[in-house]
Amino acid sequence: MNAAFAPRYASRNLLRGGQRTLLATACVGFGVMSVVGLQLLSSMIAASIALDPRFVLGGDASLSRGDRALTAGDVEEIERMRAHGTIAAYTLTTPGEGALLQHGSGPSYVLGRALGVDPATFPLVGDVRLGNAAAGFGRLIAEPGTAVITRDVADKMGLAAGDEFTLGGGPQGAPARLRVAGIAELTPDRQGDTVLYSLATARKLAGREDVAGSAQVLWGKAPPTPKTLAAAGWTVTSSAEIAKKRARVVDLFGMMLKGAGLLGLLLGGIGMANTMQVLLARRKLEIATLKTLGYERGHLVLLFGLETGMLGVIGGLIGAAAGAGLSYWLRLLLGRVGPIMLGTAIDPRVLAGGVATGIATAVIFGLYAIVRASAVRPSTLLRDLPVPKAWGEAAVLYAALGALFSALAAMIMGSVLYGVGVVAAGVAGLVLLMMLLGAGFFAVVAVPLPLSSLVALARRNLRRQPVQTLVALVALFCGVFTIGFAAATISNGRHRLATQELPSGGYNVTVYTSQASAGRVSSLLEREGVKEVERFMTAPVIAPQIPVLRVVTGCDGDRTGTVRIVDGAWEKKVGTALAPARLRGEPWRLTKGGVIELSSPAGERARVSITGFYDLNRVSPLVPRLAGLIVDQETALRLGGQGAQVNFTGRVEERQLGELAQALQRGAPDAVVLSRADLESAMQGIIENLFAFVVAIAGLALVAGGVLIANSVGLAMLDRRREMGIFKAIGYSSARILTGIAIEYALLGLVAGIAGMGAVALAFRVIDHLRPAAQLALDPMQAPVMIAVAMAIAFASALAVAWRPTHARPLEVLRQEG
């Protein structure tokens, strides 16, 4: 055998293979697509989470004073450390709390982070990557009232550079109008859902000077020890701590995603092995002729191995390209679930590795069929005698294949332990599911029932290919169970949120504004028919005795919103106050009757006596969670002046919400309106995006089921050509034979759907027993829908592959078989 003959022979066989070649290629391509797509997604997540921890933290460490803001004295101390060389550089940032963002009269957006930074020094490490901006980040936000927003916020709210929006609704400070100076494509910590502005803008929003919550620092040549800083009252967060936390998250995501990809590769490999066994079984005469001509076993292994390797190359190339597209789609879905800004870079090493994985998978899973076929004696093949079973050789081959695939898995997982563990768990789970589902499935198809001839024939045919049938059944079952469980769980969560967090009655709108605009807003609410209005006022304060107290909330009469009094009473008098229950503990030890001296940033002073303590109740988020001291509105107004934030919460007809937002936009453009519809839309979006991501991942199992069913049908068509020819010769039409095949695999989908949704119902019963508070229930409509989906996938896969073979002329089939 010369070197030129082998590739010519292999390539000709692939071209002659037709549908059989396509089936094998589809199996390899699906496996490679699963591995490459999920591995690329894992790399994107790792690149965004497992950053240099200094990028995440903003420096080598973060210094703060715990719950309270940094004062001018704290900043002077940090400056002294920089002057002495202990700190090489530092930058100040605000705590980065959430807020509401409103553009025009459109719906409010619940923002994840509004962060004030020093434009001269931020960021110390990394950079804010801007899109289409001539100036640098610091220059863009240097002017008070300007901001940079991340790309995800810009896309969701339809904002562009130069647009104005209103930012407010935070725990302190009245809403204010800001202008978009630029759009950030990436931030140093890769966190989206963010608005960045200067410390000057932050002071304007908060109505006070001490807005910085922490200092990110770069250490000098002689950094201080943690004990030294702790003794000085500093709370230190190091980049090493961040690295450890994020490494665990990356490992978890990597193991889950790569493991899921490997299971897809395993299913694709099983389909490839089934295909190769049928292909070589149909080439008995060819193998016997080659052996008669003098080709030895090693030559045949090389020839068929090269053919299988070519299949792997083709499937690997197709799968790698499809995997890149899959990873991009999954990245978009995951980006909508959380605030992480994922990169879009496609690692060419992963694509090359995918092609290599396709070749390795095809060769590994085709090796058993190749070795077994090449070992049979020519006389056995020519006489069409039964091939003797070589159990010892089969065991050795299976062990060798398991070791080879485990080695491949270890390279993909980056760990021998993880690779072997995923393969072992996958094989064990596959065998266990095949046993459980197989027992039920074959009980169903074996029970004698008075059925039509087509249905009876379909049930009998399903028993003829047990391994291929059960592997496809397991894949469909996994897809149905995963998607059904996710859909039912999310549906339960949506129902719980709708009934508990956002009740249909009561308050459905909240307006945040400044004291200066409060009169206009109050008149507009009355004119627009808003009822049961509650009014709260939040003002920034300075409390030298208790530095963690930064705001007071003025309440009207008995209405104290979301608070639950745990000790004492609310006396509703000027000069009295309720305090947060946490202030009773160390180090403040506040008691009933204690007096607190308060002052405003403008110098106004007040003394209040503590008459009780409160905790927050868990009620509708439309009612503001009151913060700081609760005082009467007169005291709050005296301390806050015209810069205090005022909240109006009330009830209006749902159909009037749009008109109310437009009226407020015209009459009080600095107001932010938050309605129940906005919150429901935000929660609905999160739920739907989460569900879409879960379905996309779990859908791979359904795709695997479809591919394996197509593979099973294609191989069945090869085995049953003579049978179909005889049926057609005695009067069966192509449509009747095709209908029988469709019924056959629709039954498979029916069993997979019923078993999958039955497993979901059982899982809910177990969870409810272990955690009664979960109260999970399966929607009666979800089970029929998922069963129909499983049947449709099985039906469509079978129909697509069986269409052409069932339309072959009986004379051609019978002559070919003879």
Side-chain angles (χ1 to χ4, degrees):
M1 182 178 71
N2 58 51
F5 171 74
R8 279 204 314 271
Y9 176 81
S11 57
R12 285 174 184 169
N13 279 328
L14 289 179
L15 291 174
R16 291 171 184 163
Q19 190 181 67
R20 289 161 282 184
T21 300
L22 291 177
L23 290 173
T25 304
C27 290
V28 176
F30 169 77
V32 173
M33 179 190 72
S34 301
V35 168
V36 169
L38 296 180
Q39 195 172 1
L40 284 173
L41 180 63
S42 174
S43 300
M44 292 175 187
I45 293 172
S48 298
I49 296 179
L51 297 168
D52 181 333
R54 301 192 313 155
F55 285 24
V56 178
L57 193 60
D60 293 324
S62 175
L63 304 182
S64 68
R65 291 295 193 184
D67 291 337
R68 71 170 176 83
L70 300 182
T71 63
D74 295 328
V75 177
E76 289 174 3
E77 187 176 341
I78 294 172
E79 183 60 36
R80 284 196 298 272
M81 285 191 280
R82 189 193 65 79
H84 293 154
T86 303
I87 292 175
Y90 72 91
T91 188
L92 302 177
T93 62
T94 63
E97 298 160 326
L100 296 175
L101 185 153
Q102 189 167 24
H103 180 212
S105 59
S108 290
Y109 177 72
V110 183
L111 191 68
R113 182 175 66 167
L115 185 65
V117 301
D118 185 344
T121 56
F122 182 87
L124 291 179
V125 291
D127 61 346
V128 179
R129 192 183 305 170
L130 300 167
N132 303 323
F137 170 72
R139 290 177 58 190
L140 286 178
I141 66 168
E143 180 185 349
T146 59
V148 166
I149 62 176
T150 51
R151 168 57 62 188
D152 52 347
V153 176
D155 291 342
K156 289 172 184 175
M157 298 301 293
L159 288 166
D163 289 345
E164 290 191 346
F165 62 90
T166 306
L167 187 72
Q172 59 181 349
R177 301 281 289 175
L178 300 180
R179 178 172 56 84
V180 178
I183 296 173
E185 303 294 340
L186 280 178
T187 57
D189 59 359
R190 299 293 179 91
Q191 184 172 335
D193 213 21
T194 296
V195 171
L196 299 166
Y197 43 79
S198 68
L199 291 176
T201 301
R203 294 185 184 102
K204 178 182 176 183
L205 289 170
R208 58 187 297 163
E209 289 298 313
D210 54 337
V211 294
S214 63
Q216 286 69 49
V217 303
L218 295 178
W219 296 128
K221 293 182 179 180
T225 64
K227 287 185 178 180
T228 303
L229 291 169
W234 291 103
T235 299
V236 184
T237 304
S238 69
S239 55
E241 296 173 23
I242 299 294
K244 288 180 182 178
K245 292 178 182 177
R246 294 212 160 198
R248 288 194 292 268
V249 175
V250 170
D251 287 345
L252 178 62
F253 268 99
M255 184 175 68
M256 291 174 60
L257 293 175
K258 291 178 183 178
L262 275 173
L263 293 180
L265 187 65
L266 178 62
L267 290 174
I270 291 172
M272 173 69 186
N274 290 337
T275 306
M276 286 303 299
Q277 288 192 50
V278 174
L279 285 176
L280 294 179
R282 294 187 58 81
R283 289 161 66 180
K284 291 179 181 179
L285 183 60
E286 178 185 338
I287 294 171
T289 304
L290 289 171
K291 297 194 81 169
T292 304
L293 292 174
Y295 282 80
E296 298 178 357
R297 186 177 187 181
H299 295 145
L300 295 179
V301 171
L302 178 62
L303 284 174
F304 295 131
L306 184 60
E307 183 178 333
T308 307
M310 288 182 175
L311 273 175
V313 172
I314 298 169
L317 289 170
I318 295 172
L326 175 66
S327 69
Y328 182 75
W329 181 46
L330 292 175
R331 168 194 164 272
L332 291 178
L333 292 177
L334 185 59
R336 295 171 187 166
V337 174
I340 301 174
M341 300 182 75
L342 298 176
T344 57
I346 301 294
D347 190 344
R349 294 173 298 177
V350 175
L351 298 181
V355 177
T357 298
I359 298 170
T361 302
V363 172
I364 289 172
F365 282 92
L367 193 59
Y368 175 78
I370 293 169
V371 172
R372 294 286 295 126
S374 63
V376 184
R377 298 174 61 185
S379 58
T380 302
L381 296 173
L382 292 172
R383 293 175 181 176
D384 201 18
L385 298 174
V387 178
K389 299 289 185 181
W391 297 108
E393 183 183 68
V396 172
L397 276 173
Y398 279 129
L401 297 180
L404 289 172
F405 190 72
S406 296
L408 178 63
M411 286 189 288
I412 292 172
M413 297 293 293
S415 165
V416 174
L417 181 62
Y418 283 174
V420 174
V422 168
V423 173
V427 172
L430 182 63
V431 171
L432 180 62
L433 282 175
M434 286 177 67
M435 292 172 61
L436 293 175
L437 293 174
F441 177 69
F442 286 111
V444 170
V445 297
V447 173
L449 294 172
L451 301 170
S452 67
S453 58
L454 276 179
V455 177
L457 182 63
R459 295 171 75 222
R460 186 164 56 250
N461 284 333
L462 284 173
R463 298 196 297 268
R464 293 169 58 179
Q465 298 171 311
V467 175
Q468 296 170 19
T469 300
L470 285 179
V471 170
L473 180 64
V474 167
L476 278 177
F477 167 82
C478 292
V480 170
F481 173 77
T482 308
I483 294 176
F485 187 87
T489 304
I490 289 172
S491 175
N492 275 267
R494 183 187 304 164
H495 177 72
R496 294 278 291 277
L497 284 171
T499 57
Q500 295 184 19
E501 289 293 332
L502 298 177
S504 58
Y507 299 117
N508 62 358
V509 65
T510 293
V511 181
Y512 297 85
T513 188
S514 65
Q515 174 60 28
S517 301
R520 295 197 303 274
V521 170
S522 180
S523 299
L524 284 167
L525 294 179
E526 184 177 357
R527 191 176 69 194
E528 295 296 327
V530 180
K531 303 174 182 178
E532 300 178 13
V533 176
E534 290 191 21
R535 173 172 170 157
F536 307 99
M537 184 184 302
T538 304
V541 296
I542 301 168
Q545 294 170 267
I546 305 179
V548 294
L549 275 179
R550 301 174 64 187
V551 294
V552 296
T553 302
C555 292
D556 183 12
D558 293 327
R559 296 176 175 178
T560 50
T562 57
V563 308
R564 175 170 54 88
I565 298 175
V566 295
D567 187 16
W570 168 230
E571 295 187 0
K572 301 162 289 195
K573 296 178 182 177
V574 176
T576 61
L578 288 175
R582 62 188 175 87
L583 295 184
R584 291 187 296 180
E586 295 288 347
W588 314 114
R589 293 188 178 182
L590 200 59
T591 59
K592 282 191 295 184
V595 176
I596 299 179
E597 299 278 350
L598 301 174
S599 62
S600 72
E604 292 289 338
R605 296 183 179 277
R607 286 167 56 90
V608 293
S609 174
I610 305 303
T611 61
F613 295 90
Y614 72 89
D615 277 336
L616 291 177
N617 273 330
R618 185 175 181 271
V619 298
S620 170
L622 283 170
V623 179
R625 284 180 174 264
L626 307 189
L629 290 181
I630 297 176
V631 299
D632 61 282
Q633 289 205 10
E634 181 181 332
T635 301
L637 179 59
R638 180 150 51 92
L639 292 169
Q642 295 300 300
Q645 175 178 267
V646 181
N647 312 109
F648 293 93
T649 303
R651 180 170 57 86
V652 69
E653 295 293 331
E654 296 288 339
R655 55 186 174 80
Q656 292 181 259
L657 284 172
E659 298 175 7
L660 175 63
Q662 292 177 5
L664 288 168
Q665 174 64 20
R666 291 191 300 268
D670 65 339
V672 175
V673 184
L674 177 65
S675 69
R676 179 168 54 228
D678 296 336
L679 283 177
E680 287 177 343
S681 176
M683 288 188 289
Q684 183 79 6
I686 292 171
I687 289 171
E688 289 178 354
N689 289 325
L690 179 60
F691 179 61
F693 180 73
V694 172
V695 168
I697 297 292
L700 291 175
L702 289 179
V703 174
V707 169
L708 291 171
I709 286 173
N711 177 268
S712 176
V713 174
L715 299 181
M717 294 301 97
L718 295 175
D719 282 341
R720 287 150 59 178
R721 284 175 63 83
R722 186 177 183 84
E723 176 186 317
M724 289 190 297
I726 293 172
F727 276 132
K728 297 186 80 170
I730 62 174
Y732 275 64
S733 65
S734 297
R736 190 173 184 185
I737 296 174
L738 192 62
T739 302
I741 294 169
I743 292 173
E744 184 178 328
Y745 286 93
L747 282 174
L748 185 69
L750 176 65
V751 173
I754 293 174
M757 294 310 296
V760 172
L762 178 61
F764 278 10
R765 291 289 298 273
V766 173
I767 293 171
D768 285 343
H769 177 72
L770 297 176
R771 298 289 299 272
Q775 298 180 4
L776 296 175
L778 187 61
D779 189 331
M781 287 304 298
Q782 287 174 346
V785 169
M786 288 307 304
I787 293 170
V789 168
M791 292 180 67
I793 290 173
F795 179 85
S797 301
L799 207 63
V801 177
W803 181 271
R804 185 174 177 184
T806 54
H807 284 76
R809 296 176 60 189
L811 192 59
E812 295 174 359
V813 173
L814 294 173
R815 280 178 175 174
Q816 218 172 29
E817 291 290 338

